[in-house]
Amino acid sequence: FLNGNWLDAEYDDYLFSAAAEGIPEVDLGGETMNRAPEASANAAAQYDWSLGNSGSLAARVDYYWQDEMYLRVRNIPRHRVSSYHTADARLIWTSADEQWLVDAFVQNLTDEDNLRGLFTMNDVERIQQERKAQFKPARDAQFRLVCGAAVSATRNAFGELDRERILNHVGGLVE
């Protein structure tokens, strides 16, 4: 089979707020929705052989291609992932009484690394997770690390590093 998809997904009107003090709302009207590639396609082919009293054998190949997309709401370069493709293959033997099945497969025949997700955390979320952790880093009364350093690459509404906030953060860690 062969399948193709085309998607025209963009925000008409959307005021994005980072829900952080001092960061202005950003109008995302006209930008592409996150995790919505404009095009994707997949194809698969399977052939089945009857082996009589020995069961059956099926050979299958699958191919998938996806256009570039943005993983987060903002359409900035660091949130964009390139287009990618992947191919899989499998060989399936089924016993004549259909009580047994052996499935040999290879996923990602091209052995490509494809970024399919993006996860970031700020310092507050880390502190909340540490509270539940069995081993916790040592912190002082202001929740600063007693040893080591914790630097979050804070960015402004335009996706640029917020130098002033980073310097204030690092300055607060040093006594």
Side-chain angles (χ1 to χ4, degrees), residues 106-168:
V106 176
Q107 290 184 303
N108 194 10
L109 284 167
T110 59
D111 197 27
E112 298 285 329
D113 284 333
N114 299 308
L115 179 63
R116 298 182 190 185
L118 180 66
F119 185 74
T120 61
M121 290 180 13
N122 64 27
D123 289 341
V124 174
E125 291 170 322
R126 286 185 195 202
I127 291 169
Q128 289 172 344
Q129 283 191 343
E130 289 168 6
R131 188 174 39 170
K132 299 173 189 171
Q134 183 178 2
F135 301 103
K136 300 173 175 70
R139 293 189 180 273
D140 66 10
Q142 286 81 38
F143 290 97
R144 295 178 298 188
L145 288 172
V146 174
C147 60
V151 178
S152 176
T154 308
R155 298 193 181 259
N156 63 24
F158 303 103
E160 302 160 336
L161 287 176
D162 191 336
R163 183 177 170 81
E164 184 177 331
R165 284 184 66 192
I166 293 171
L167 291 174
N168 287 338

Side-chain angles (χ1 to χ4, degrees), residues 65-79:
W65 172 84
Q66 179 179 293
D67 204 357
E68 68 179 18
M69 68 176 180
Y70 292 94
L71 295 173
R72 308 283 307 266
V73 177
R74 297 287 316 279
N75 289 178
I76 57 179
R78 69 186 171 100
H79 295 164

Side-chain angles (χ1 to χ4, degrees), residues 85-97:
H85 64 96
T86 186
D88 305 326
R90 66 186 337 118
L91 193 60
I92 306 166
W93 171 80
T94 307
S95 64
D97 62 3

